[in-house]
Structure formats: structure tokens, C-alpha cells
Amino acid sequence: MELVQYCHAQMDVTDSNGETAFHYAVQSDNSQVLQLLGKNASAGLNQLNNQGLTPLHLACQLGKQEMVRVLLLCNARCNIMGSSGYPIHTAMKFSQKGCAEMIISMDSNQIHSKDPRYGASPLHWAKNAEMARLLLKRGCDVNSTSSVGNTALHVAVMRNRFDCVMVLLTHGANADARGEHGNTPLHLAMSKDNVEMVKALIVFGAEVDTPNDSGETPAFIASRISRLVTRKALLTLLRTVGADYRSPLLQGVSAEQCSATAQHSFFSLERSQPPPISLNNLELQDLVHISRARKPAFILSSMRDEKRTHDHLLCLDGGGVKGLVIIQLLIAIEKASGIATKDLFDWVAGTSTGGILALAILHSKSMAYMRGVYFRMKDEVFRGSRPYESGPLEEFLKREFGEHTKMTDVKKPKVMLTGTLSDRQPAELHLFRNYEAPECVREPRFNQNVNLKPPTHPSEQLVWRAARSSGAAPTYFRPNGRFLDGGLLANNPTLDAMTEIHEYNQDMIRKGQGNKVKKLSIVVSLGTGRSPQVPVTCVDVFRPSNPWELAKTVFGAKELGKMVVDCCTDPDGRAVDRARAWCEMVGIQYFRLNPQLGTDIMLDEVNDTVLVDALWETEVYIYEHREQFQKLIQLLLSP
Amino acid sequence: MELVQYCHAQMDVTDSNGETAFHYAVQSDNSQVLQLLGKNASAGLNQLNNQGLTPLHLACQLGKQEMVRVLLLCNARCNIMGSSGYPIHTAMKFSQKGCAEMIISMDSNQIHSKDPRYGASPLHWAKNAEMARLLLKRGCDVNSTSSVGNTALHVAVMRNRFDCVMVLLTHGANADARGEHGNTPLHLAMSKDNVEMVKALIVFGAEVDTPNDSGETPAFIASRISRLVTRKALLTLLRTVGADYRSPLLQGVSAEQCSATAQHSFFSLERSQPPPISLNNLELQDLVHISRARKPAFILSSMRDEKRTHDHLLCLDGGGVKGLVIIQLLIAIEKASGIATKDLFDWVAGTSTGGILALAILHSKSMAYMRGVYFRMKDEVFRGSRPYESGPLEEFLKREFGEHTKMTDVKKPKVMLTGTLSDRQPAELHLFRNYEAPECVREPRFNQNVNLKPPTHPSEQLVWRAARSSGAAPTYFRPNGRFLDGGLLANNPTLDAMTEIHEYNQDMIRKGQGNKVKKLSIVVSLGTGRSPQVPVTCVDVFRPSNPWELAKTVFGAKELGKMVVDCCTDPDGRAVDRARAWCEMVGIQYFRLNPQLGTDIMLDEVNDTVLVDALWETEVYIYEHREQFQKLIQLLLSP
């Protein structure tokens, strides 16, 4: 009773620091006192102290989540401008996750609140990945701009926060947003001595030749960097994707005219020696080609589909999180053709991660979206140790494709996912289809004396289950019922997809619908990146003559197992040679695109830097194979 | 001194049993006495006792190898006719291996000596496999006949010695030899209540419709057997390979005319119920067809080869000793076409055991010979436990193909063997060829930064080494240097053979030799028998939470390993579907022949009965697929 009276008496009094009893209660972490103080409305509740902090600001700065809760219950105001914005901004500034969550949960609008000083959203204030993720998960606008026009990505780049940059990019931040002075994040990244960040931005779609308000492109800024090592690294980087090194003075000049000069400065910078007298004209032309290839062709997909007289097949390998490589390749194809993958192909086959992407294509999910999804998903899905809990993977699949969506709900393009029916020995390939399986006239492989459950009919097959079944990589995940990863039988699904299409067409002909059959004219087979080939000491198993030998045998057996699995599931090598020979014999255009990676990346890699590097290598590969790409696009677009 | 004198005095004296001191010395196993006795020539040395045995006969009967040696050193005669032939025959009769070996090593002619009573060779007297093998290894004539005209095989069948029958058949005994009364071994086998022996004889080429001197065929004899169970078993057996059940009274009548009666008696016998009123005419025709199909076509191979406008490819799967199935299929094809495999095909591809057979075809070894070789080899090679010593396998390969023979020594048909180059990760397919590898224009799969030894050039490649490298099945044999079994990458080599032929032809065209390129028109893919498909409980690996779980994980991992290997190396299933679709798309005639086996036979099965059963199932398969076979033969023979 006395305490209450005391509190009432003292509520509005400030000390020499401008602090009220509320400030003191917060500092002493006394929620009981704070509750009592807050019982009656009082100016002291929202009083700024001499440092520009209300009690709520102070609680956020100190990370006192419970104090925040009580203050908010006492109706403390969230929109009092402190020395660095509103309380939510303070919570962000000091990376006080609990306090930020508390504020947002009490007042969800705070997620969008802009601090009056910079006009910055809480996301701009996020200092690490965790804080950024907190806001993005609750639906803040990833591309909201501050007063001067910078996005959170601009800020994260300026502050050299790679982890924040990755979270923002994978949540859909525009890598090419023009901010203050017309700078894109890539302009800002060039001076940060952080090659990985530059790679990440380019990989996520930042253009190297967007001029800022001073007419400078990011590439040009790179060429002006004083630190030689960084400058060289950046220029090598940019050169590998065919960036244009025009000086700002040449902006108005055509690419053909200026490239000589650009090449000059580029070569002289990089080699620190006189430029070659005769420039490589092919390379200059290439630059023009690739930039033209990137321009959308603006052809209406609905028109094209009807006109096409031949079928196109897209095949996507397995490879876990390395499916990002496929995504990057598809983004390049879509960008160059101006048409969604869905409309470029009549058949899409996928194994495991490739199967998930085949379904994403079917369900009209953009590949840029899927890129973000893959980066986000990996941390959820590959948590703990192998074999991973399958719950998060299944939740993710249900979230993306719906819990009740059936395979036949969307019918175009025709999609097949490979799975391994492992309730029998020898195991059999099963295709999950969004169409009726072709009837087979050949004799059954085995006498049907074995009582095996027939597979689910496509119209009853849940999409998320099909994805899960195709992607049950042994030792990574537990099998899904009787299905094991399709990669065991067809890590590169091309041969089986071609077999399926042939059988489908034969079935059509048998059923008198031969007029509906279109010949296959193009097969595009995308890989998830090739690991470097390494020499190994020969695998051996031997008869153990003593315990030490026995130990070696066990080791040998394990090594052998790995080798056998690697051999059999290698999606390159013979799988590609066979598909190429098959296609060439029939007169089908065959394209195999699979970047060589610098390191062996695991199916369950979670390190962003490693994955960004893989995507970077993919971009370099696309540039190096630009002629092949160009030919592919032309063929895909021809009627 | 006294002993010597005593001996001299007693040497020629016989006791009441007609035995001399030599007989006594043999019985008492006293080599010293025997040596002394033998110092001087003496009639007693070769004296027959009252039972018709010389001391040498006696030593052989009692199995006294040392006595035999001493007697022979004393010039005891080998050609004294005892009660059951010469001493060598006695040694055989009593299965005294050491004694028989001793006699033959002292007097190699004894191996051919015929006993004056039956005119039988020692081989006729062999009572078990070991004794028969001893003689055959030393070069006795497997088909020598007794006075009445029976071969050792006749005797072994009459005596119901299955193991002897197998040794004789696998050493080239004529399964169809006409002996006493014109009976073939199959005639004799029919009354022996031994279905396995009947199978073995038929599988090794015995004809079911050869009449004996009384005009009875083996099939007819089977129908007269009194024991119902045996009769039914035999008739079912014979029916499955389309045997002709004509009664001897119908011998002069044409097959078409008499088959109705034959079918009548056959059906009534088997079903013990009235014959069906309307006979199945198709089946009757089939009988005619298959018997015609078995007749050689008598076309000169040298003529045919030049005329052929298209190429034929033969592909042989891996499968260890189950290569016998391939041999049996090839024998049927050769028999029906009248042409050696070598001349029927332009390309022969093989993996592991199929690779060995491809080389056997190349080196003009008959398949009947190879069948014997396989049966004999298995006991040498699969001795002890896995992994087996590779010495015997290598010795066998050197013996068959020569120690210094190079791959390019024989050039037609073109042969390729698959091997797995496992000194790198991922491992790569390597083809051992008897021709120059086609040059490839496609970009190398990996940057050549890895210092890997290039494979041996075909002209330097030893044939036996190639066979050994292709057939280094992991866990069965240790790897051959850097090569593991080709089955890891291509247990069914069809897809890779087609890829190779395409690349070879493309290379020819590039080199301006397009006029030499022949299109592939027929692909024949032979398997080593399909194991029955069985349901399995799903393979799982999980995170162990306690030692018991850990144990299960290890078990799971092993099971998983087996499943993965079985999956990947399954030569049927997808490998066949893919090859069929490929061929159909290109307009190539594709034939896959692979019998369904009743049991899962291991690569290293050594049990003759199990292997004979597999060959029997192959014969049944050939009969059941006679239309397909007939079509294949016609296509192979058409220009």
C-alpha cells in the first residue's frame, strides 16, 4: 500500500538525467514496480531522458523483454521519437530480438514504422541475419526505402554485413534497386573490399552496367579502386561474366565503338603492361551478343505454344541444395528467351531436387522465387545430423505445393519425377506423373506371383508426397514409405524421360491418336554442377588375415560402397554420353548444361558463401558457353 | 645278407592262395622287402593269385601307392589281365587315386589301355568325379568306346553317377553318342529315376528324338516308365522343350501326321484323363518349327559377311558363372542359324563374364567348348572364400587366350569390354577394344589438371588382362590395378555399345570415310538370367539413439549398400527399357533374351545341379520364345 502511494507520488518526477521512476524500474528490472507505476496514466511513462530515451527505448536498448511487455501493457507509446528513432528501431539497433518481437507482437504495425530521422524501416536497422529474418518472417516489406531512397540492402551492403545481404537477397530484395545518388547495391559493394558480396549481388541479378546519377557503372567503379588486390579480383570477376568496362565518358557511344577502349583499360589494369596491339574481335562481339541475349524477346507464350510442331524436353538432375545451379541456369534461359520455363517445354523430368523444381515449374513458381526458397529452406531442412528429420522438408513441400494438391491438378507441361520402388528386390523405377501412364504392351518383367501394392494413380497422388518420394536421398533422409530417392536409378533422368516419351507416343499411336503425337526435337539436360575429378588410391577389399587387416577391410568396404554409389549415380559421364548419342542418332538437338564447380559441394551444404560461389561459377559457365546458350534459345524460340 | 638270400629262395614260391612273396610284401606294406625281392627278375613278380590279382593288382586294390611305385620300378608288368582287367582298371575300380596316378606317371600309355574283357578304357571304370578328372586332365579320350560301343558317359549314366556324368559332359563327352543297341546316354538315363541327369544330358545337347536300334526315342522310353512320379516329371520336362513323343511305330510317318497321336498319348499320360477332343494346332506347328529351327541353314559365312549392308551388335551382360546362360543362348542361335556367332555379328560388347565370352567369340572358341570350360573353371576359380585368389582366374585366362596375345591380334568382329577406371572420383567407364578408339570432338569432361595415366593402347593391351579387368567384381575378386568390374557402370553394356558405335561412325564420317559406315540394324542383348523378384521390407537408415539402434543402423547401411548396388547394376529393368526405346526410335531391331530363373543364383555358384537347372530353364525359355528366336534368326540371316 505504501509502495503504491510512493509510486503515484513519484511517477512524473525526473532526476538530473531526465529519468522518471519508469526509467529506474526498467533499469532495476523490477516488473512488479513497473506494473504498479503503470496502473495510472502518467506523462513519465513516455518521458524522454537526457539521452533521448523513453523507458520503452531504454528497455529495448538493455534487452529487457519483460519490461517491454509491461510497458506496452501500460500503454507506453511506440511512436515517440528518440535519439535513434522509435523504440522498435532501438531494439533493432541493439539487436535485441526478444524486445523487437515483443513490440511487433503487441503492435504489428511497428514492423512498417519508419523512423522520422532517416525514414528507415526497422529492416534498415537490422544488424545481423537473425534480426532481419525476424522482421521478414513477419511480413515486412523487403524493398521499402528510406528518405534518401536506399533499401535495407543498400544499408547492409554499406555496412558490409554479408549475412544480412544474403537474408535480404533470399527474401526477394531487389539486387538492382537504385538508391541515393542512383547507386545500386552493387555500386556500393564495389568499394567494400568484399568480393563475396559482389558475387552474391551479381548472382542475384544485379546488373554490372547500370549507371548511377554520375553515369558511373559498378564495373567502372571497380576499375577505380585503389587497393590493387581488390581491384584485380573484382575486374577478373567481372570479366568472367562479360561485364562492360566502359568509362563513364563513353556512355553515349555504342558498345561496338567503345569496347576497344574498354578492353584497353581493362587489359592494362589487369596485366599492368602495354595493351595488345590487335584486340580479339571475337571477344568484343561476344560482349554484344551476351548483352543482347539477356534482353527479353517479348513473344507471347500462349501464341507460341499452339504454333510449336515439335516437343521440347527439359531434364533436371538430382543433387540436393545444388539444385540452385539448375535454378540459375533456368533463370538465364528465361531471361534470354523472355518466356517462362513452363511455356518453353512440353515435358519436364526431374529427379529429387530436380523433381521439386519440375513441380515448381508446373505450378508457375518463378525461379528467382525458388532461389530464395532454396537458400532459406536449407537452414530449416538440413538441421542437426544425417539422416535429417523429414518433418521440416515435408512442411516445406506442403507449404509450397499445398497439402491436398494432386499431381493431375495442373496438366501442362507434362511432368515426371523419378522414384525408386524399394519394396522389392531388384528395386524398380517409378515415375510420378501428372498424366496417365502409358500402357505397356511388352511382357511383364516378372511373373506376377509377388503380391506388391500397385502405385498410386496420378489423380490420387499428392504433389508434396511425390516430391518427397523422389527426394528421399538415402542416408540424408529416411525413405518415404516404400520409395527411395530416384537418383539411385536415374540421377540424370534424361534416358528415362526419353524412354517414357517414346512409350507414351507408341501408346498414343496404338490407341489411334497418332495425329496428336509430336516428335521430340530438343532435349535440354541441366545438371547440379560437376565436382572436380580427383585421383584416388584404388579401392580394394581383401581377405583379412588379422584384426588390423579386418579393420582395413571394413574401411575398404565403406570406401567401395561410396565409390559404387558415386559411380552409379553419376549424372554426368556415361549418362550424358548415352543421351547425346541417342539424340544424335534420332536427330534430336541435345544440350547438356552443367557447370564445373571448383569444389565438391555436398547435397546438404548450408554455407551461403559456398553456395554463392557455386552460383557464381554457374554464371561464369553461362558466359563461357554463351554460343551454345544462344543456339539453344534460338532453337527453343523457333516454331 | 640273410634276408636277401631268403628272398631269392622264396621269390617264385606260391602258397595255397597262389600268392608269392611279392603278394605278401605288398600286403604287409613292406617296401624294403619288396625292393629286395624285386632286385632280380622273377616270375613271382607278375604272378596272378587265385583271385586273379598280380602283386600290382593287389597293391592297386589296397591303395598302396608306394608298393605300386616299387613294383613298377622292379618292372612289374601293367598288361597282365586280372579278374577285372589290368592293374590300372583295378585302381580305377577301387577309386585308388594315388595308385592310378602312379601307374600313369610311370607308364603314360596306361591311360588308354583297354581291359581285354570289356574293351573298356580306365575312364569307363571311373566311379567318381575325382577319378574321372584325373584321367581327363592327363589327356585320355573322353569319347573312347568299349567293345559293345558304349562310352564312359553311357557307363556313368547306367551307374547313375551324376558327378561323373557332369565331369564327362564338361570335358566334351558326346551327349548323343550311340552305344550298345543304338542307345544314347539319354535313352539309358530315362530309366534311372534321375531327372537332374536327364536335364544335364539334354542341356549338353542330347537329342530327345534320336531312335535306338529298336526305333525307340528317349522321349518314348520316358512315356513307358512305370513309376508315375518319374514318368510325369520326365514328360513335363520334355514337353517344356517341345520334345516329340512319337511312338516307335510311327517313326516313318511325318511329324505333322503323327503329332496328333503323340500329343494324345502325352496328354493322357500326364493328365490321367481323356485327351482333349480338339488339339491345339498351334502347338503342333510349333513342334515342327522348333525342330526345323534347330537345323543348320548351311550358309557359308564368308559369303554372307560381304553381302551384309547393315551392322549387327551382340551385347553380353555380366554375371560370373551365370555366363553359362549366355553360352546356352548362343549355342541355340548358332544351331538354328548354322553360322558361328563370330560371323553373325559385326560388333560384340561384353561386361565381365560377358567380356570373357566376347573374347572367346573373337578367338573362335566354340560355345560348347566354353560351356565345358565354365563348368570346369568355377571349381578352380571359386575356391576358398571371397574375395577369391585371383591367381587361378588369371591362369585360366592366360591358358585360354595366351599370355602374350594383344587385343588387336584378331580384328573381326569388333569387340569391346567394359571396365571401370577407379583411380579417379567419379570413376569412369573404359572400353577395352580390338580397334582404335574413336576420337572425340566433345569438350573433355574435366579440366586436365589431374595427372592420370592414360589407358593402354589396344595394340599393347593384353587380352587376358582386359578380360581380367572387366571381370574384377568387387568383393568377389580384388581389383586388377586401377580397374574394377565393368558391371559397376554397365552390367548390361548395350547402351554403351550403341554410344560407342555412334561415336565410331561419327568419327569415320569426320575423317571422310563415311562410305565405310554401316548402319546398325540389329541389336541382340543376352542376359545371364533374371533372379526372381522378391518383396523386401523397406530399407531404412536412421539416427541411432542407443547401441541397439546403432547396430540396426550398421545393418541398415549394409542392406542399403546391397540394394544400391543391385539397383545400379541391374542389367534388366531400366537398362532394357532404355535400350528398347532407343532402338525403336531409330528403327533398329532390338532383341533382349534373358531367361527368368527359378532361384537367385550367385556369381560364384559352384553346385552343378543348380547350374544345370539354370541351363534347363534357359532351354525352356528358348522354347517358349521360339517365335522371337525364329524372327531373330531370319533377320540375322537376311542380307
Side-chain angles (χ1 to χ4, degrees):
Chain A
M1 202 55 200
E2 262 185 313
L3 185 63
V4 178
Q5 284 174 335
Y6 165 78
C7 288
H8 273 281
Q10 303 293 318
M11 279 194 301
D12 299 339
V13 177
T14 58
D15 68 4
S16 57
N17 293 321
E19 298 196 330
T20 66
F22 290 96
H23 286 102
Y24 279 95
V26 165
Q27 269 161 332
S28 62
D29 218 357
N30 195 329
S31 63
Q32 212 184 349
V33 168
L34 200 55
Q35 273 172 335
L36 288 170
L37 287 172
K39 281 225 167 168
N40 288 47
S42 152
L45 178 62
N46 297 312
Q47 181 78 45
L48 285 166
N49 68 10
N50 293 356
Q51 289 158 319
L53 302 171
T54 64
L56 189 53
H57 279 101
L58 187 62
C60 286
Q61 179 172 329
L62 298 174
K64 301 193 180 220
Q65 186 178 345
E66 174 63 11
M67 298 298 108
V68 171
R69 192 180 69 83
V70 175
L71 284 167
L72 291 172
L73 284 173
C74 301
N75 294 316
R77 284 169 55 198
C78 289
N79 61 346
I80 307 253
M81 166 78 166
S83 53
S84 43
Y86 296 134
I88 182 68
H89 302 109
T90 305
M92 295 305 296
K93 180 177 176 184
F94 291 95
S95 298
Q96 302 293 8
K97 192 180 172 195
C99 298
E101 277 175 331
M102 188 57 70
I103 291 176
I104 295 163
S105 68
M106 301 294 267
D107 177 5
S108 60
N109 278 329
Q110 287 302 311
I111 208 162
H112 310 297
S113 80
K114 299 213 168 178
D115 77 85
R117 193 160 149 205
Y118 303 104
S121 71
L123 189 63
H124 285 86
W125 288 85
K127 286 191 167 171
N128 61 41
E130 194 182 17
M131 294 304 287
R133 231 181 256 124
L134 173 144
L135 298 171
L136 290 162
K137 269 195 186 159
R138 280 169 179 76
C140 77
D141 175 11
V142 71
N143 286 317
S144 95
T145 50
S146 67
S147 318
V148 294
N150 283 333
T151 64
L153 184 60
H154 283 96
V155 178
V157 168
M158 273 190 280
R159 299 280 187 257
N160 212 356
R161 293 170 185 152
F162 181 72
D163 59 342
C164 276
V165 166
M166 285 310 300
V167 168
L168 292 167
L169 287 173
T170 59
H171 283 78
N174 178 4
D176 230 23
R178 286 173 63 98
E180 196 175 13
H181 311 307
N183 283 321
T184 65
L186 191 56
H187 282 97
L188 305 175
M190 287 303 177
S191 58
K192 287 299 162 196
D193 201 12
N194 190 337
V195 175
E196 283 310 319
M197 203 155 70
V198 170
K199 281 189 189 173
L201 288 167
I202 294 178
V203 150
F204 276 82
E207 297 289 346
V208 292
D209 50 5
T210 307
N212 62 11
D213 294 348
S214 319
E216 297 166 329
T217 66
F220 179 74
I221 292 176
S223 71
R224 281 190 321 188
I225 291 168
S226 57
R227 197 159 165 261
L228 188 66
V229 179
T230 312
R231 190 178 64 211
K232 278 197 174 179
L234 285 176
L235 290 177
T236 310
L237 213 65
L238 295 173
R239 191 194 182 194
T240 51
V241 286
D244 195 344
Y245 300 94
R246 290 182 286 177
S247 94
L249 302 174
L250 292 167
Q251 283 296 326
V253 189
S254 79
E256 283 85 349
Q257 286 171 291
C258 72
S259 289
T261 319
Q263 288 282 331
H264 179 135
S265 75
F266 172 59
F267 276 108
S268 61
L269 270 165
E270 203 186 9
R271 302 194 187 166
S272 302
Q273 66 182 44
I277 296 164
S278 149
L279 284 170
N280 186 339
N281 283 311
L282 254 178
E283 272 199 36
L284 299 187
Q285 281 194 310
D286 295 339
L287 287 172
V288 181
H289 278 152
I290 197 122
S291 53
R292 278 194 195 146
R294 290 193 170 200
K295 296 281 183 307
F298 296 114
I299 300 172
L300 286 176
S301 61
S302 55
M303 281 173 58
R304 296 206 26 72
D305 195 8
E306 300 306 316
K307 280 203 289 181
R308 202 148 64 212
T309 54
H310 288 79
D311 273 357
H312 300 166
L313 163 65
L314 176 66
C315 300
L316 311 176
D317 288 2
V321 74
K322 289 189 292 176
L324 279 165
V325 170
I326 292 177
I327 292 173
Q328 202 74 0
L329 291 168
L330 285 175
I331 286 174
I333 292 172
E334 289 187 344
K335 208 170 172 186
S337 67
I339 293 178
T341 306
K342 186 184 169 65
D343 299 314
L344 282 174
F345 295 94
D346 308 273
W347 296 87
V348 183
T351 293
S352 197
T353 201
I356 293 174
L357 292 175
L359 291 172
I361 291 166
L362 180 67
H363 289 273
S364 302
K365 292 178 187 296
S366 90
M367 285 299 117
Y369 169 77
M370 289 309 290
R371 180 170 57 196
V373 165
Y374 265 56
F375 267 98
R376 276 141 44 200
M377 170 189 73
K378 69 175 178 5
D379 298 311
E380 273 177 54
V381 168
F382 301 126
R383 179 168 288 169
S385 62
R386 287 163 57 180
Y388 298 109
E389 295 292 344
S390 40
L393 174 60
E394 292 176 3
E395 283 313 308
F396 152 73
L397 292 172
K398 287 180 196 170
R399 205 161 57 227
E400 291 300 327
F401 299 114
E403 204 168 336
H404 306 291
T405 315
K406 303 290 197 329
M407 280 301 280
T408 49
D409 285 1
V410 184
K411 294 196 162 48
K412 280 180 81 170
K414 291 197 188 68
V415 163
M416 62 188 102
L417 275 70
T418 62
T420 301
L421 255 176
S422 57
D423 61 351
R424 56 204 70 183
Q425 183 97 3
E428 279 183 7
L429 184 75
H430 175 72
L431 294 179
F432 297 92
R433 307 164 168 97
N434 66 340
Y435 56 93
E436 284 275 335
E439 282 172 32
C440 258
V441 288
R442 62 170 186 270
E443 61 177 327
R445 191 174 159 208
F446 293 100
N447 309 332
Q448 295 304 307
N449 54 354
V450 175
N451 197 10
L452 292 167
K453 203 173 64 173
T456 310
H457 191 266
S459 62
E460 295 299 316
Q461 177 67 54
L462 291 171
V463 166
W464 76 263
R465 265 194 202 281
R468 169 74 177 90
S469 299
S470 180
T475 76
Y476 288 90
F477 293 101
R478 295 180 66 172
N480 190 31
R482 54 191 178 145
F483 287 101
L484 276 179
D485 201 284
L488 289 182
L489 283 168
N491 211 10
N492 175 333
T494 312
L495 295 170
D496 290 299
M498 290 180 67
T499 304
E500 168 80 355
I501 293 171
H502 174 72
E503 289 175 2
Y504 183 89
N505 288 343
Q506 292 299 107
D507 191 40
M508 292 280 277
I509 290 166
R510 271 194 302 274
K511 289 173 176 162
Q513 303 189 294
N515 57 325
K516 288 190 191 165
V517 170
K518 287 186 189 169
K519 271 196 161 180
L520 207 55
S521 66
I522 304 175
V523 171
V524 181
S525 165
L526 304 184
T528 57
R530 291 182 294 193
S531 296
Q533 190 174 45
V534 288
V536 289
T537 49
C538 278
V539 172
D540 195 1
V541 282
F542 30 78
R543 192 180 301 113
S545 56
N546 59 47
W548 172 237
E549 287 269 294
L550 179 67
K552 282 201 288 183
T553 305
V554 172
F555 177 73
K558 198 183 146 198
E559 282 294 289
L560 177 71
K562 179 172 159 42
M563 213 218 66
V564 171
V565 174
D566 283 2
C567 245
C568 298
T569 61
D570 180 9
D572 283 285
R574 289 316 278 181
V576 168
D577 296 341
R578 293 166 183 168
R580 178 179 290 116
W582 183 345
C583 286
E584 285 182 5
M585 267 199 197
V586 193
I588 295 169
Q589 293 284 347
Y590 174 78
F591 291 86
R592 170 67 176 171
L593 303 173
N594 197 20
Q596 173 69 62
L597 304 180
T599 54
D600 189 11
I601 300 180
M602 301 292 286
L603 303 189
D604 55 351
E605 180 60 61
V606 291
N607 185 322
D608 282 342
T609 308
V610 172
L611 294 174
V612 163
D613 272 341
L615 293 191
W616 177 259
E617 287 169 319
T618 307
E619 284 294 318
V620 173
Y621 173 86
I622 293 168
Y623 179 71
E624 286 175 350
H625 293 73
R626 54 200 178 276
E627 285 180 29
Q628 207 186 340
F629 256 80
Q630 193 61 29
K631 187 183 163 199
L632 166 60
I633 303 297
Q634 279 166 1
L635 284 169
L636 283 175
L637 293 181
S638 65
Chain B
M1 200 54 197
E2 263 185 311
L3 184 62
V4 176
Q5 283 172 336
Y6 164 81
C7 288
H8 272 284
Q10 302 292 319
M11 279 195 300
D12 300 340
V13 178
T14 58
D15 67 6
S16 58
N17 293 321
E19 299 197 328
T20 66
F22 289 96
H23 287 101
Y24 280 93
V26 165
Q27 270 161 331
S28 61
D29 219 357
N30 196 329
S31 65
Q32 212 186 348
V33 169
L34 200 56
Q35 274 173 334
L36 289 170
L37 287 172
K39 281 226 165 166
N40 287 48
S42 152
L45 179 62
N46 297 310
Q47 181 77 46
L48 285 166
N49 67 10
N50 293 357
Q51 289 157 319
L53 303 169
T54 63
L56 189 55
H57 280 100
L58 187 63
C60 285
Q61 180 172 327
L62 298 172
K64 301 195 178 218
Q65 186 180 344
E66 175 61 12
M67 297 299 109
V68 171
R69 192 181 69 83
V70 176
L71 285 167
L72 290 171
L73 284 174
C74 300
N75 294 314
R77 284 168 55 200
C78 288
N79 60 347
I80 306 252
M81 164 77 166
S83 52
S84 45
Y86 296 135
I88 181 70
H89 302 109
T90 303
M92 294 307 295
K93 180 178 176 185
F94 292 93
S95 299
Q96 301 293 7
K97 192 181 172 194
C99 298
E101 275 176 332
M102 189 55 71
I103 290 176
I104 296 163
S105 68
M106 300 294 267
D107 178 2
S108 60
N109 278 327
Q110 288 302 311
I111 208 163
H112 309 297
S113 80
K114 299 216 168 175
D115 77 85
R117 194 160 149 204
Y118 304 104
S121 72
L123 188 63
H124 285 86
W125 289 84
K127 286 191 167 172
N128 60 42
E130 195 182 18
M131 293 304 287
R133 230 181 257 124
L134 173 146
L135 299 171
L136 289 162
K137 268 193 186 162
R138 280 169 180 76
C140 77
D141 175 9
V142 70
N143 286 317
S144 94
T145 50
S146 67
S147 318
V148 294
N150 283 333
T151 63
L153 184 59
H154 283 96
V155 178
V157 169
M158 274 189 280
R159 300 277 186 260
N160 213 355
R161 292 171 185 149
F162 181 71
D163 60 341
C164 275
V165 167
M166 286 309 300
V167 169
L168 292 166
L169 287 173
T170 59
H171 282 78
N174 178 3
D176 229 22
R178 286 172 63 97
E180 195 176 12
H181 311 309
N183 284 320
T184 65
L186 191 55
H187 282 97
L188 306 176
M190 285 305 175
S191 57
K192 287 299 162 197
D193 201 13
N194 190 336
V195 175
E196 282 311 319
M197 202 155 70
V198 170
K199 281 188 190 173
L201 288 167
I202 295 177
V203 150
F204 274 82
E207 296 291 344
V208 292
D209 50 6
T210 307
N212 62 10
D213 293 347
S214 319
E216 297 167 329
T217 66
F220 179 75
I221 292 176
S223 69
R224 281 188 322 186
I225 290 167
S226 57
R227 197 159 164 263
L228 188 67
V229 179
T230 313
R231 190 179 64 212
K232 278 196 173 178
L234 284 176
L235 290 178
T236 311
L237 211 66
L238 295 173
R239 190 192 182 193
T240 51
V241 286
D244 196 342
Y245 299 94
R246 289 181 288 176
S247 94
L249 302 174
L250 292 167
Q251 283 298 324
V253 189
S254 78
E256 283 87 350
Q257 286 172 291
C258 72
S259 288
T261 318
Q263 289 281 331
H264 179 132
S265 75
F266 172 58
F267 275 109
S268 60
L269 270 165
E270 204 185 8
R271 301 194 188 165
S272 303
Q273 65 183 44
I277 295 163
S278 148
L279 284 170
N280 186 340
N281 282 310
L282 254 178
E283 271 200 34
L284 300 186
Q285 280 193 312
D286 295 339
L287 286 173
V288 182
H289 278 152
I290 196 120
S291 54
R292 279 193 195 144
R294 290 193 171 201
K295 298 278 184 308
F298 296 113
I299 300 171
L300 286 177
S301 62
S302 56
M303 281 173 56
R304 296 206 28 74
D305 196 8
E306 299 306 316
K307 279 204 288 182
R308 203 148 64 214
T309 53
H310 288 79
D311 272 358
H312 300 166
L313 163 64
L314 175 66
C315 301
L316 311 176
D317 288 1
V321 73
K322 290 189 290 175
L324 279 165
V325 170
I326 292 177
I327 292 174
Q328 202 74 359
L329 291 169
L330 285 174
I331 287 174
I333 291 172
E334 290 188 344
K335 209 171 170 185
S337 67
I339 292 176
T341 307
K342 186 184 169 67
D343 298 315
L344 283 174
F345 294 94
D346 307 274
W347 296 86
V348 183
T351 293
S352 198
T353 200
I356 294 175
L357 292 175
L359 292 171
I361 292 166
L362 180 68
H363 289 273
S364 302
K365 293 179 188 295
S366 89
M367 284 299 117
Y369 169 77
M370 289 308 290
R371 180 171 55 195
V373 165
Y374 265 55
F375 267 98
R376 276 140 45 200
M377 171 189 73
K378 70 177 177 4
D379 298 311
E380 274 178 53
V381 167
F382 300 128
R383 181 168 286 171
S385 62
R386 289 163 55 180
Y388 298 108
E389 295 292 343
S390 41
L393 173 61
E394 292 177 3
E395 283 314 307
F396 151 74
L397 292 171
K398 287 181 195 167
R399 206 162 57 226
E400 292 300 324
F401 299 115
E403 205 169 335
H404 306 292
T405 315
K406 303 289 196 334
M407 280 301 280
T408 49
D409 285 0
V410 184
K411 293 198 162 48
K412 281 179 80 169
K414 291 197 187 68
V415 163
M416 61 189 101
L417 275 69
T418 62
T420 301
L421 255 175
S422 57
D423 61 351
R424 55 202 71 183
Q425 183 98 1
E428 278 183 8
L429 184 76
H430 175 72
L431 294 179
F432 297 93
R433 307 164 169 97
N434 67 340
Y435 55 93
E436 284 275 335
E439 282 172 31
C440 259
V441 288
R442 62 170 187 270
E443 62 178 325
R445 192 175 159 207
F446 294 101
N447 309 333
Q448 294 305 308
N449 54 354
V450 175
N451 196 10
L452 293 166
K453 202 174 65 172
T456 310
H457 191 266
S459 61
E460 296 299 315
Q461 177 67 54
L462 291 171
V463 166
W464 76 264
R465 264 193 202 282
R468 169 73 177 90
S469 300
S470 180
T475 78
Y476 288 91
F477 293 101
R478 297 179 65 171
N480 190 31
R482 55 192 178 142
F483 287 101
L484 277 179
D485 200 283
L488 289 182
L489 284 169
N491 210 10
N492 175 334
T494 313
L495 295 170
D496 290 299
M498 291 180 68
T499 303
E500 168 80 356
I501 293 171
H502 174 73
E503 288 175 2
Y504 183 89
N505 288 343
Q506 292 300 106
D507 190 41
M508 292 280 278
I509 291 167
R510 271 195 302 274
K511 288 173 178 163
Q513 303 189 295
N515 57 325
K516 288 189 191 166
V517 170
K518 287 187 191 169
K519 269 196 163 181
L520 207 54
S521 65
I522 305 175
V523 171
V524 181
S525 165
L526 305 184
T528 57
R530 290 182 293 193
S531 296
Q533 190 172 44
V534 288
V536 289
T537 49
C538 277
V539 172
D540 194 2
V541 282
F542 31 78
R543 192 180 302 112
S545 57
N546 60 48
W548 172 237
E549 287 271 293
L550 179 67
K552 284 201 287 184
T553 306
V554 171
F555 178 74
K558 197 183 147 200
E559 283 292 288
L560 177 71
K562 178 171 161 42
M563 213 218 66
V564 170
V565 173
D566 282 2
C567 245
C568 299
T569 61
D570 181 10
D572 284 284
R574 289 315 279 181
V576 169
D577 296 340
R578 294 166 181 166
R580 177 179 290 117
W582 183 344
C583 286
E584 284 182 6
M585 267 200 197
V586 194
I588 295 170
Q589 292 284 345
Y590 174 78
F591 291 85
R592 170 66 175 172
L593 303 173
N594 197 20
Q596 173 68 62
L597 304 180
T599 53
D600 189 11
I601 300 180
M602 300 292 287
L603 302 189
D604 56 350
E605 179 61 59
V606 290
N607 186 320
D608 281 343
T609 309
V610 171
L611 294 174
V612 164
D613 273 340
L615 293 191
W616 177 259
E617 287 170 320
T618 307
E619 284 295 318
V620 173
Y621 173 85
I622 293 168
Y623 179 69
E624 286 175 351
H625 294 73
R626 54 198 179 276
E627 285 180 29
Q628 207 186 341
F629 255 80
Q630 194 62 27
K631 187 184 164 198
L632 167 59
I633 302 299
Q634 279 166 2
L635 284 169
L636 283 174
L637 294 180
S638 65

